[in-house]
Amino acid sequence: MGLTIYGIPRSRAFRNLWTTGELGIKYEHVMTDFSDGPNSCRAPSFKSVNPNAAVPAIDDDGFKLWESLVINLYLAKKHADKGLYPKSLQDEAKVWQWALWTATSVEGPLGTWQSHALMLPPEKRDPKQAAEALQKLAGPLKVLDEHLKSHQFLVGSQFSVADLNLASVMSRATQMDLSATPNVKAWLNRCLDRPAAQAAIKQRAAA
Ligand SMILES: N[C@@H](CCC(=O)N[C@@H](CS)C(=O)NCC(=O)O)C(=O)O
């Protein structure tokens, strides 16, 4: 059976596709989408994988899991020999800290900015919402920038799933003006330059 990933690359499944590339693991990819068609995440058959009717989700030999950032934590820990997951209890806690911070302090306003600055058809974009989102992001980005002043990566001395989770959420922020937070800008480029990140970005662009 092995690992199945549900979710088109244009969805948050992008985050998990990047992880599988870093870990060098094989998977079956089911192109669950948001349409009203047979592959919809709202189809009753998919709700047995994720009752929230959202992607991504995985089925790993019968073990079902949803929430993109948690899927990454699970895969990184399962394949800890590949070096993406920390070894000490305290570094593990720091990885959780950054994952929850990513979800609660960054992802919401970043998503709003992305929609209203980049993704929505131009006539549906609201510059006021984009500006408010940037204001909400300023505090967390400052915190991140301060941390990265003296650290190459979020936890320990090497790239880990903590970096992957945050950088995958921020992957479109390269189009944001990050000049006030130069350490964030350099770190994000460092993460996104990785071959597995570039491969996932290509998959997302092709979709
Ligand atoms: N917090 C969840 C969010 C999942 C989510 O909202 N996914 C979007 C796609 S990126 C979705 O499936 N939306 C359902 C829809 O638009 O009907 C995660 O990170 O996995």
Side-chain angles (χ1 to χ4, degrees), residues 96-120:
W96 300 339
Q97 168 200 282
W98 284 112
L100 280 179
W101 181 83
T102 299
T104 56
S105 297
V106 176
E107 186 170 18
L110 193 71
T112 303
W113 174 80
Q114 240 171 239
S115 298
H116 290 280
L118 307 174
M119 314 281 282
L120 284 170

PDB file of all heavy atoms in Angstrom, residues 96-120:
ATOM      1  N   TRP A  96       7.876  22.035  17.073  1.00  0.00           N
ATOM      2  CA  TRP A  96       6.427  22.175  17.291  1.00  0.00           C
ATOM      3  C   TRP A  96       6.075  23.648  17.490  1.00  0.00           C
ATOM      4  O   TRP A  96       5.055  24.128  17.010  1.00  0.00           O
ATOM      5  CB  TRP A  96       5.986  21.401  18.535  1.00  0.00           C
ATOM      6  CG  TRP A  96       6.238  19.933  18.508  1.00  0.00           C
ATOM      7  CD1 TRP A  96       6.439  19.135  17.401  1.00  0.00           C
ATOM      8  CD2 TRP A  96       6.337  19.063  19.641  1.00  0.00           C
ATOM      9  NE1 TRP A  96       6.646  17.833  17.791  1.00  0.00           N
ATOM     10  CE2 TRP A  96       6.588  17.755  19.158  1.00  0.00           C
ATOM     11  CE3 TRP A  96       6.228  19.251  21.025  1.00  0.00           C
ATOM     12  CZ2 TRP A  96       6.732  16.657  20.009  1.00  0.00           C
ATOM     13  CZ3 TRP A  96       6.367  18.157  21.864  1.00  0.00           C
ATOM     14  CH2 TRP A  96       6.618  16.876  21.358  1.00  0.00           C
ATOM     15  N   GLN A  97       6.928  24.334  18.262  1.00  0.00           N
ATOM     16  CA  GLN A  97       6.690  25.760  18.514  1.00  0.00           C
ATOM     17  C   GLN A  97       6.567  26.529  17.192  1.00  0.00           C
ATOM     18  O   GLN A  97       5.615  27.280  16.969  1.00  0.00           O
ATOM     19  CB  GLN A  97       7.851  26.326  19.340  1.00  0.00           C
ATOM     20  CG  GLN A  97       7.865  27.853  19.428  1.00  0.00           C
ATOM     21  CD  GLN A  97       9.244  28.375  19.812  1.00  0.00           C
ATOM     22  OE1 GLN A  97       9.617  28.331  20.983  1.00  0.00           O
ATOM     23  NE2 GLN A  97       9.999  28.876  18.868  1.00  0.00           N
ATOM     24  N   TRP A  98       7.542  26.321  16.301  1.00  0.00           N
ATOM     25  CA  TRP A  98       7.530  27.068  15.043  1.00  0.00           C
ATOM     26  C   TRP A  98       6.352  26.636  14.165  1.00  0.00           C
ATOM     27  O   TRP A  98       5.784  27.458  13.433  1.00  0.00           O
ATOM     28  CB  TRP A  98       8.857  26.880  14.298  1.00  0.00           C
ATOM     29  CG  TRP A  98       9.992  27.667  14.886  1.00  0.00           C
ATOM     30  CD1 TRP A  98      11.083  27.172  15.528  1.00  0.00           C
ATOM     31  CD2 TRP A  98      10.138  29.110  14.898  1.00  0.00           C
ATOM     32  NE1 TRP A  98      11.905  28.201  15.939  1.00  0.00           N
ATOM     33  CE2 TRP A  98      11.354  29.391  15.563  1.00  0.00           C
ATOM     34  CE3 TRP A  98       9.364  30.166  14.425  1.00  0.00           C
ATOM     35  CZ2 TRP A  98      11.816  30.697  15.761  1.00  0.00           C
ATOM     36  CZ3 TRP A  98       9.824  31.474  14.610  1.00  0.00           C
ATOM     37  CH2 TRP A  98      11.027  31.730  15.263  1.00  0.00           C
ATOM     38  N   ALA A  99       5.968  25.350  14.238  1.00  0.00           N
ATOM     39  CA  ALA A  99       4.843  24.884  13.409  1.00  0.00           C
ATOM     40  C   ALA A  99       3.541  25.549  13.863  1.00  0.00           C
ATOM     41  O   ALA A  99       2.756  26.037  13.034  1.00  0.00           O
ATOM     42  CB  ALA A  99       4.726  23.364  13.481  1.00  0.00           C
ATOM     43  N   LEU A 100       3.332  25.601  15.175  1.00  0.00           N
ATOM     44  CA  LEU A 100       2.089  26.230  15.672  1.00  0.00           C
ATOM     45  C   LEU A 100       2.110  27.728  15.421  1.00  0.00           C
ATOM     46  O   LEU A 100       1.093  28.335  15.084  1.00  0.00           O
ATOM     47  CB  LEU A 100       1.903  25.942  17.164  1.00  0.00           C
ATOM     48  CG  LEU A 100       1.331  24.561  17.467  1.00  0.00           C
ATOM     49  CD1 LEU A 100       1.191  24.340  18.965  1.00  0.00           C
ATOM     50  CD2 LEU A 100      -0.035  24.382  16.810  1.00  0.00           C
ATOM     51  N   TRP A 101       3.276  28.322  15.554  1.00  0.00           N
ATOM     52  CA  TRP A 101       3.424  29.767  15.292  1.00  0.00           C
ATOM     53  C   TRP A 101       3.128  30.055  13.818  1.00  0.00           C
ATOM     54  O   TRP A 101       2.450  31.026  13.478  1.00  0.00           O
ATOM     55  CB  TRP A 101       4.846  30.181  15.678  1.00  0.00           C
ATOM     56  CG  TRP A 101       5.172  31.636  15.509  1.00  0.00           C
ATOM     57  CD1 TRP A 101       4.903  32.645  16.378  1.00  0.00           C
ATOM     58  CD2 TRP A 101       5.877  32.220  14.396  1.00  0.00           C
ATOM     59  NE1 TRP A 101       5.402  33.836  15.877  1.00  0.00           N
ATOM     60  CE2 TRP A 101       6.002  33.604  14.670  1.00  0.00           C
ATOM     61  CE3 TRP A 101       6.422  31.710  13.215  1.00  0.00           C
ATOM     62  CZ2 TRP A 101       6.635  34.482  13.799  1.00  0.00           C
ATOM     63  CZ3 TRP A 101       7.054  32.591  12.346  1.00  0.00           C
ATOM     64  CH2 TRP A 101       7.150  33.955  12.643  1.00  0.00           C
ATOM     65  N   THR A 102       3.637  29.179  12.949  1.00  0.00           N
ATOM     66  CA  THR A 102       3.370  29.331  11.516  1.00  0.00           C
ATOM     67  C   THR A 102       1.860  29.333  11.268  1.00  0.00           C
ATOM     68  O   THR A 102       1.330  30.186  10.548  1.00  0.00           O
ATOM     69  CB  THR A 102       4.024  28.164  10.727  1.00  0.00           C
ATOM     70  OG1 THR A 102       5.435  28.207  10.927  1.00  0.00           O
ATOM     71  CG2 THR A 102       3.721  28.256   9.246  1.00  0.00           C
ATOM     72  N   ALA A 103       1.174  28.366  11.895  1.00  0.00           N
ATOM     73  CA  ALA A 103      -0.261  28.222  11.647  1.00  0.00           C
ATOM     74  C   ALA A 103      -1.075  29.351  12.270  1.00  0.00           C
ATOM     75  O   ALA A 103      -2.071  29.795  11.696  1.00  0.00           O
ATOM     76  CB  ALA A 103      -0.744  26.878  12.179  1.00  0.00           C
ATOM     77  N   THR A 104      -0.648  29.825  13.460  1.00  0.00           N
ATOM     78  CA  THR A 104      -1.501  30.791  14.168  1.00  0.00           C
ATOM     79  C   THR A 104      -1.109  32.253  13.922  1.00  0.00           C
ATOM     80  O   THR A 104      -1.949  33.133  13.996  1.00  0.00           O
ATOM     81  CB  THR A 104      -1.459  30.534  15.696  1.00  0.00           C
ATOM     82  OG1 THR A 104      -0.099  30.580  16.135  1.00  0.00           O
ATOM     83  CG2 THR A 104      -2.053  29.183  16.040  1.00  0.00           C
ATOM     84  N   SER A 105       0.171  32.507  13.631  1.00  0.00           N
ATOM     85  CA  SER A 105       0.602  33.913  13.510  1.00  0.00           C
ATOM     86  C   SER A 105       0.906  34.335  12.084  1.00  0.00           C
ATOM     87  O   SER A 105       0.938  35.525  11.791  1.00  0.00           O
ATOM     88  CB  SER A 105       1.867  34.151  14.347  1.00  0.00           C
ATOM     89  OG  SER A 105       1.603  33.937  15.700  1.00  0.00           O
ATOM     90  N   VAL A 106       1.162  33.378  11.205  1.00  0.00           N
ATOM     91  CA  VAL A 106       1.631  33.750   9.861  1.00  0.00           C
ATOM     92  C   VAL A 106       0.640  33.376   8.759  1.00  0.00           C
ATOM     93  O   VAL A 106       0.339  34.188   7.877  1.00  0.00           O
ATOM     94  CB  VAL A 106       3.010  33.078   9.570  1.00  0.00           C
ATOM     95  CG1 VAL A 106       3.475  33.366   8.151  1.00  0.00           C
ATOM     96  CG2 VAL A 106       4.056  33.548  10.577  1.00  0.00           C
ATOM     97  N   GLU A 107       0.139  32.138   8.822  1.00  0.00           N
ATOM     98  CA  GLU A 107      -0.595  31.621   7.665  1.00  0.00           C
ATOM     99  C   GLU A 107      -1.839  32.437   7.302  1.00  0.00           C
ATOM    100  O   GLU A 107      -2.094  32.686   6.126  1.00  0.00           O
ATOM    101  CB  GLU A 107      -0.973  30.156   7.890  1.00  0.00           C
ATOM    102  CG  GLU A 107      -1.607  29.559   6.648  1.00  0.00           C
ATOM    103  CD  GLU A 107      -1.776  28.056   6.721  1.00  0.00           C
ATOM    104  OE1 GLU A 107      -1.723  27.496   7.832  1.00  0.00           O
ATOM    105  OE2 GLU A 107      -1.973  27.457   5.656  1.00  0.00           O
ATOM    106  N   GLY A 108      -2.594  32.878   8.316  1.00  0.00           N
ATOM    107  CA  GLY A 108      -3.834  33.613   8.043  1.00  0.00           C
ATOM    108  C   GLY A 108      -3.578  34.906   7.274  1.00  0.00           C
ATOM    109  O   GLY A 108      -4.048  35.074   6.129  1.00  0.00           O
ATOM    110  N   PRO A 109      -2.814  35.855   7.894  1.00  0.00           N
ATOM    111  CA  PRO A 109      -2.573  37.107   7.179  1.00  0.00           C
ATOM    112  C   PRO A 109      -1.804  36.921   5.866  1.00  0.00           C
ATOM    113  O   PRO A 109      -2.076  37.622   4.883  1.00  0.00           O
ATOM    114  CB  PRO A 109      -1.767  37.957   8.170  1.00  0.00           C
ATOM    115  CG  PRO A 109      -1.381  37.063   9.290  1.00  0.00           C
ATOM    116  CD  PRO A 109      -2.301  35.884   9.275  1.00  0.00           C
ATOM    117  N   LEU A 110      -0.910  35.931   5.840  1.00  0.00           N
ATOM    118  CA  LEU A 110      -0.162  35.710   4.595  1.00  0.00           C
ATOM    119  C   LEU A 110      -1.111  35.267   3.475  1.00  0.00           C
ATOM    120  O   LEU A 110      -0.993  35.709   2.326  1.00  0.00           O
ATOM    121  CB  LEU A 110       0.930  34.652   4.816  1.00  0.00           C
ATOM    122  CG  LEU A 110       1.947  34.573   3.704  1.00  0.00           C
ATOM    123  CD1 LEU A 110       2.843  35.801   3.700  1.00  0.00           C
ATOM    124  CD2 LEU A 110       2.819  33.332   3.861  1.00  0.00           C
ATOM    125  N   GLY A 111      -2.074  34.406   3.845  1.00  0.00           N
ATOM    126  CA  GLY A 111      -3.053  33.930   2.859  1.00  0.00           C
ATOM    127  C   GLY A 111      -3.895  35.091   2.329  1.00  0.00           C
ATOM    128  O   GLY A 111      -4.180  35.172   1.129  1.00  0.00           O
ATOM    129  N   THR A 112      -4.271  35.986   3.233  1.00  0.00           N
ATOM    130  CA  THR A 112      -5.071  37.149   2.811  1.00  0.00           C
ATOM    131  C   THR A 112      -4.247  38.020   1.869  1.00  0.00           C
ATOM    132  O   THR A 112      -4.730  38.471   0.812  1.00  0.00           O
ATOM    133  CB  THR A 112      -5.508  37.974   4.047  1.00  0.00           C
ATOM    134  OG1 THR A 112      -6.218  37.114   4.923  1.00  0.00           O
ATOM    135  CG2 THR A 112      -6.376  39.153   3.650  1.00  0.00           C
ATOM    136  N   TRP A 113      -2.977  38.249   2.237  1.00  0.00           N
ATOM    137  CA  TRP A 113      -2.117  39.060   1.369  1.00  0.00           C
ATOM    138  C   TRP A 113      -1.973  38.405  -0.008  1.00  0.00           C
ATOM    139  O   TRP A 113      -2.131  39.069  -1.039  1.00  0.00           O
ATOM    140  CB  TRP A 113      -0.725  39.251   2.008  1.00  0.00           C
ATOM    141  CG  TRP A 113       0.218  39.941   1.073  1.00  0.00           C
ATOM    142  CD1 TRP A 113       0.295  41.278   0.820  1.00  0.00           C
ATOM    143  CD2 TRP A 113       1.159  39.305   0.195  1.00  0.00           C
ATOM    144  NE1 TRP A 113       1.241  41.517  -0.152  1.00  0.00           N
ATOM    145  CE2 TRP A 113       1.783  40.322  -0.552  1.00  0.00           C
ATOM    146  CE3 TRP A 113       1.535  37.974  -0.020  1.00  0.00           C
ATOM    147  CZ2 TRP A 113       2.770  40.055  -1.505  1.00  0.00           C
ATOM    148  CZ3 TRP A 113       2.510  37.701  -0.965  1.00  0.00           C
ATOM    149  CH2 TRP A 113       3.118  38.742  -1.697  1.00  0.00           C
ATOM    150  N   GLN A 114      -1.705  37.085   0.023  1.00  0.00           N
ATOM    151  CA  GLN A 114      -1.522  36.344  -1.231  1.00  0.00           C
ATOM    152  C   GLN A 114      -2.747  36.484  -2.137  1.00  0.00           C
ATOM    153  O   GLN A 114      -2.617  36.741  -3.319  1.00  0.00           O
ATOM    154  CB  GLN A 114      -1.386  34.862  -0.894  1.00  0.00           C
ATOM    155  CG  GLN A 114      -0.093  34.242  -1.323  1.00  0.00           C
ATOM    156  CD  GLN A 114       0.037  32.851  -0.749  1.00  0.00           C
ATOM    157  OE1 GLN A 114       0.977  32.609  -0.031  1.00  0.00           O
ATOM    158  NE2 GLN A 114      -0.884  31.956  -1.027  1.00  0.00           N
ATOM    159  N   SER A 115      -3.937  36.306  -1.532  1.00  0.00           N
ATOM    160  CA  SER A 115      -5.169  36.390  -2.327  1.00  0.00           C
ATOM    161  C   SER A 115      -5.304  37.770  -2.958  1.00  0.00           C
ATOM    162  O   SER A 115      -5.562  37.893  -4.152  1.00  0.00           O
ATOM    163  CB  SER A 115      -6.404  36.149  -1.448  1.00  0.00           C
ATOM    164  OG  SER A 115      -6.327  34.868  -0.912  1.00  0.00           O
ATOM    165  N   HIS A 116      -5.125  38.810  -2.119  1.00  0.00           N
ATOM    166  CA  HIS A 116      -5.443  40.158  -2.602  1.00  0.00           C
ATOM    167  C   HIS A 116      -4.274  40.854  -3.306  1.00  0.00           C
ATOM    168  O   HIS A 116      -4.472  41.897  -3.934  1.00  0.00           O
ATOM    169  CB  HIS A 116      -5.997  41.004  -1.441  1.00  0.00           C
ATOM    170  CG  HIS A 116      -7.356  40.529  -1.041  1.00  0.00           C
ATOM    171  ND1 HIS A 116      -8.498  40.856  -1.732  1.00  0.00           N
ATOM    172  CD2 HIS A 116      -7.743  39.669  -0.064  1.00  0.00           C
ATOM    173  CE1 HIS A 116      -9.533  40.257  -1.190  1.00  0.00           C
ATOM    174  NE2 HIS A 116      -9.109  39.524  -0.174  1.00  0.00           N
ATOM    175  N   ALA A 117      -3.083  40.274  -3.223  1.00  0.00           N
ATOM    176  CA  ALA A 117      -1.953  40.870  -3.952  1.00  0.00           C
ATOM    177  C   ALA A 117      -1.585  40.054  -5.183  1.00  0.00           C
ATOM    178  O   ALA A 117      -1.055  40.598  -6.150  1.00  0.00           O
ATOM    179  CB  ALA A 117      -0.744  40.989  -3.025  1.00  0.00           C
ATOM    180  N   LEU A 118      -1.859  38.723  -5.150  1.00  0.00           N
ATOM    181  CA  LEU A 118      -1.333  37.877  -6.226  1.00  0.00           C
ATOM    182  C   LEU A 118      -2.343  36.976  -6.925  1.00  0.00           C
ATOM    183  O   LEU A 118      -2.259  36.779  -8.139  1.00  0.00           O
ATOM    184  CB  LEU A 118      -0.227  36.940  -5.672  1.00  0.00           C
ATOM    185  CG  LEU A 118       0.945  37.522  -4.906  1.00  0.00           C
ATOM    186  CD1 LEU A 118       1.789  36.387  -4.346  1.00  0.00           C
ATOM    187  CD2 LEU A 118       1.792  38.414  -5.795  1.00  0.00           C
ATOM    188  N   MET A 119      -3.257  36.382  -6.165  1.00  0.00           N
ATOM    189  CA  MET A 119      -3.976  35.224  -6.702  1.00  0.00           C
ATOM    190  C   MET A 119      -5.343  35.540  -7.307  1.00  0.00           C
ATOM    191  O   MET A 119      -5.708  34.968  -8.322  1.00  0.00           O
ATOM    192  CB  MET A 119      -4.171  34.154  -5.610  1.00  0.00           C
ATOM    193  CG  MET A 119      -2.945  33.855  -4.804  1.00  0.00           C
ATOM    194  SD  MET A 119      -1.788  32.766  -5.632  1.00  0.00           S
ATOM    195  CE  MET A 119      -2.532  31.202  -5.395  1.00  0.00           C
ATOM    196  N   LEU A 120      -6.101  36.404  -6.654  1.00  0.00           N
ATOM    197  CA  LEU A 120      -7.458  36.669  -7.147  1.00  0.00           C
ATOM    198  C   LEU A 120      -7.402  37.389  -8.495  1.00  0.00           C
ATOM    199  O   LEU A 120      -6.417  38.084  -8.787  1.00  0.00           O
ATOM    200  CB  LEU A 120      -8.206  37.570  -6.141  1.00  0.00           C
ATOM    201  CG  LEU A 120      -8.712  36.897  -4.858  1.00  0.00           C
ATOM    202  CD1 LEU A 120      -9.203  37.957  -3.878  1.00  0.00           C
ATOM    203  CD2 LEU A 120      -9.820  35.895  -5.168  1.00  0.00           C
TER     204      LEU A 120
END
